């Protein structure tokens, strides 16, 4: 079964490895995603996020960190031209399906890399970026997130941020991203920010790697109200494989990410938002722990498991690639 994954952090892990003086091959590595395993699991497309940890002690120049990951992305494409193809448009999607290659789409996880500049946003689009989150887990000039690293209150279940939404600049970014047809990604955004986007957005948007809060009360997950409204607006939700967002065990030291929980979240999202709303958003190379689906090689096991848990093969096909393929073809 073809796979279209809305989010992985492999580019940042490749960058960290290069910085440490131990570069990794994209063809075969010890990360969660590499070319060999993507081909084995019949990937159609992988969205590759430029993830930037927006903290001056960690990344003194966030735009530089983003640009270095774009360079890695381009070098990968140059190194494997017979196997990989960059996707920027609906025409590219059609060409990809005929090519037999694996598609890569460039995305950004942390709108703060734009330094509040619409000009930088437009330049990122010119470089091929086709989706971007407004935030990661830090407040920036565009909006606020739902959780902050190291915050003592950031313990499940912690309170959602219902007051800090989009800034004036954030609303301007939403408008410009829609004009460009750069897909807006609300993953990591505060509750207040997601409600702001629901009110302001004129085009469908994505939450690339989030689950259902009714199934696991982590603030990174989406409420039923959000799911219903996103479904009514033709939006897309990527199922996240992270145990913290799947497992509702109150003992947070014993979390497991199991296919049974993934199916539970999938069924709930479909019930709230509709079967056209759900896709895959693995968060590979951004998650760790006790994972039943631990890398690209496990995607056939996930497909079989979702069917075993009572989701029809027709709907699993839509989750695995059909919904994402249609969404991007209509919205790029």
């Amino acid at each position: 079964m073809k796979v279209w994954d809305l989010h992985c952090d492999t580019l940042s892990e490749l960058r960290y490895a290069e910085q440490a003086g131990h570069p990794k091959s994209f063809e075969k590595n010890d990360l969660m995603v590499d070319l060999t395993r993507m081909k084995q699991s019949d990937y159609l497309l992988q969205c590759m996020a430029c993830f930037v940890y927006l903290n001056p002690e960690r990344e003194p120049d966030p735009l530089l960190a983003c640009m270095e990951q774009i360079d890695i992305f381009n070098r990968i494409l140059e190194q494997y031209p017979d196997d990989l193809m960059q996707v920027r448009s609906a025409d590219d999607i059609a060409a990809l399906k005929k090519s037999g290659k694996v598609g890569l789409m460039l995305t950004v996880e942390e709108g703060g890399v734009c330094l509040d500049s619409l000009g930088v946003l437009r330049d990122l689009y010119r470089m091929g970026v086709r989706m971007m989150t407004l935030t990661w887990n830090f407040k920036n000039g565009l909006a606020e997130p739902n959780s902050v690293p190291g915050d003592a209150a950031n313990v499940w279940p912690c309170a959602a941020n219902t007051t800090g939404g989009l800034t004036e600049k954030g609303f301007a970014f939403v408008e410009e991203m829609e004009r460009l047809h750069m897909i807006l990604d609300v993953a990591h955004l505060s509750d207040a920010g997601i409600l702001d986007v629901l009110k302001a957005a004129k085009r469908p948007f994505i939450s690339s790697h989030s689950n259902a809060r009714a199934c696991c009360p982590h603030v990174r997950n989406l409420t039923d109200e959000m799911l219903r409204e996103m479904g009514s607006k033709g939006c897309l939700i990527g199922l996240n494989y992270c145990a913290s967002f799947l497992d509702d065990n109150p003992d947070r030291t014993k979390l497991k990410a199991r296919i049974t929980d993934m199916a539970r979240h999938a069924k709930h999202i479909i019930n709230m938002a509709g079967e056209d709303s759900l896709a895959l958003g693995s968060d590979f190379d951004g998650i760790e722990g006790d994972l039943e689906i631990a890398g690209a090689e496990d995607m056939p096991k996930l497909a079989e498991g979702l069917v075993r848990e009572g989701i029809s093969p027709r709907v699993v096909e839509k989750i695995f690639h059909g919904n994402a393929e249609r969404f991007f073809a209509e919205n790029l």
Side-chain angles (χ1 to χ4, degrees):
M1 187 177 296
K2 293 291 184 183
V3 177
W4 185 309
D5 183 4
L6 299 179
H7 185 83
C8 76
D9 288 310
T10 309
L11 288 177
S12 60
E13 290 301 308
L14 292 172
R15 175 174 174 260
Y16 295 148
E18 285 193 358
Q19 289 178 326
H22 304 289
K24 299 178 186 291
S25 164
F26 187 68
E27 182 175 5
K28 189 174 179 61
N29 57 51
D30 59 357
L31 301 175
M32 292 179 169
V33 174
D34 63 29
L35 177 58
T36 299
R37 287 173 287 165
M38 290 168 72
K39 291 169 69 175
Q40 289 172 349
S41 292
D42 201 17
Y43 269 61
L44 178 62
L45 187 141
Q46 176 67 61
C47 293
M48 305 284 287
C50 300
F51 162 66
V52 177
Y53 196 100
L54 196 69
N55 180 308
E57 295 182 4
R58 178 87 165 258
E59 296 288 358
D61 189 333
L63 180 55
L64 176 62
C66 180
M67 295 296 293
E68 289 179 344
Q69 290 176 70
I70 293 175
D71 174 63
I72 291 171
F73 179 87
N74 287 327
R75 281 188 276 138
I76 289 170
L77 289 169
E78 291 165 359
Q79 191 170 3
Y80 307 104
D82 295 332
D83 299 299
L84 296 171
M85 171 183 167
Q86 184 174 6
V87 169
R88 301 171 181 241
S89 67
D91 287 344
D92 286 346
I93 295 172
L96 172 68
K97 293 170 66 177
K98 297 177 181 178
S99 71
K101 298 180 182 182
V102 177
L104 297 183
M105 184 180 294
L106 186 60
T107 75
V108 169
E109 185 177 29
E110 176 52 86
V113 304
C114 294
L115 308 177
D116 298 349
S117 167
L118 291 172
V120 171
L121 175 69
R122 288 186 284 268
D123 275 340
L124 289 177
Y125 182 84
R126 294 178 185 115
M127 293 176 195
V129 173
R130 289 299 179 266
M131 181 166 65
M132 185 178 78
T133 68
L134 292 182
T135 71
W136 183 60
N137 287 339
F138 292 104
K139 179 180 178 180
N140 61 28
L142 308 179
E144 295 185 20
N146 246 343
S147 59
V148 177
D151 187 339
N154 186 20
V155 178
W156 179 94
C158 57
N161 181 353
T162 58
T163 57
L166 270 60
T167 65
E168 183 177 348
K169 180 65 72 171
F171 282 107
F173 264 64
V174 170
E175 183 177 355
E176 184 64 2
M177 289 176 72
E178 291 193 328
R179 188 191 70 80
L180 292 169
H181 287 208
M182 183 190 289
I183 307 300
L184 177 66
D185 185 355
V186 299
H188 290 281
L189 194 58
S190 67
D191 278 25
I194 293 176
L195 294 178
D196 282 343
V197 171
L198 281 165
K199 293 175 183 176
K202 297 179 175 62
R203 298 179 55 82
F205 56 89
I206 281 178
S207 188
S208 64
H209 53 302
S210 301
N211 295 332
R213 203 175 299 178
C215 298
C216 175
H218 194 292
V219 293
R220 271 283 284 106
N221 290 337
L222 301 167
T223 67
D224 285 357
E225 176 190 6
M226 294 170 186
L227 291 171
R228 282 191 292 264
E229 288 203 46
M230 288 179 69
S232 71
K233 292 177 179 293
C235 298
L236 198 62
I237 298 107
L239 187 69
N240 192 320
Y241 309 174
C242 179
S244 296
F245 308 148
L246 289 168
D247 192 345
D248 61 354
N249 187 346
D251 185 348
R252 306 308 279 173
T253 65
K254 299 179 179 179
L255 296 180
K256 298 179 180 180
R258 293 292 177 261
I259 291 173
T260 52
D261 285 315
M262 299 171 77
R264 182 167 56 93
H265 282 262
K267 291 174 183 177
H268 188 84
I269 292 170
I270 289 170
N271 286 339
M272 291 294 107
E275 66 180 43
D276 293 338
S277 68
L278 185 59
L280 300 174
S282 67
D283 208 1
F284 281 154
D285 290 316
I287 57 176
E288 57 186 8
D290 191 344
L291 307 172
E292 189 169 5
I293 305 301
E297 69 276 14
D298 291 330
M299 297 311 297
K301 180 172 37 172
L302 176 58
E304 295 166 4
L306 293 179
V307 172
R308 188 174 60 247
E309 291 297 317
I311 301 176
S312 74
R314 177 186 63 83
V315 174
V316 172
E317 189 106 19
K318 295 175 80 171
I319 294 169
F320 260 59
H321 70 92
N323 287 336
E325 185 181 324
R326 171 192 47 77
F327 180 93
F328 282 97
E330 293 175 351
N331 291 290
L332 283 179

